[in-house]
Amino acid sequence: MKKMTLPQGMHDKLFKRSRVTYKIEHAISDSLMEKGLNRIETPTMEHFEVFSNQVSSQHHNLFDTEGQLLSLRPDVTSQIDRVIA
């Protein structure tokens, strides 16, 4: 049977709420870029080692088809560190 609910803590943003969020995000982004800041977008999933060297219950991990441990990003701080390095 297919699940028809979202995992705990997850939610859909629909219609008006989604449109308002989109407009706010773009207004802030446009304002920052006008001041000379640049955007950066990093993947939602990375090699586990980018975030930690120990498995933590606070990270969501999985293995890829080659057996490498991957992790969903908890935030973008570690990824920005990786890009700068």
Side-chain angles (χ1 to χ4, degrees):
M1 175 182 221
K2 293 183 180 181
K3 286 196 177 245
M4 300 301 292
T5 60
L6 292 169
Q8 183 177 352
M10 299 291 114
H11 62 275
D12 294 316
K13 287 184 190 175
L14 302 174
F15 315 119
K16 184 178 180 180
R17 183 176 180 198
S18 178
R19 184 173 47 251
V20 168
T21 300
Y22 175 86
K23 287 180 179 181
I24 291 169
E25 289 171 350
H26 281 81
I28 292 169
S29 180
D30 290 346
S31 175
L32 293 172
M33 286 191 295
E34 286 173 8
K35 295 178 191 305
L37 293 152
N38 292 308
R39 290 183 52 84
I40 181 170
E41 293 183 23
T42 60
T44 303
M45 190 177 311
E46 287 251 14
H47 291 285
F48 170 78
E49 295 82 7
V50 169
F51 303 109
S52 180
N53 57 5
Q54 293 184 26
V55 175
S56 166
S57 62
Q58 295 179 351
H59 287 146
H60 297 282
N61 304 306
L62 56 112
F63 290 97
D64 68 8
T65 56
E66 298 173 1
Q68 296 185 51
L69 186 57
L70 305 176
S71 187
L72 294 175
R73 71 172 178 229
D75 63 47
V76 297
T77 306
S78 297
Q79 292 173 303
I80 292 171
D81 289 346
R82 176 190 48 75
V83 169
I84 291 170

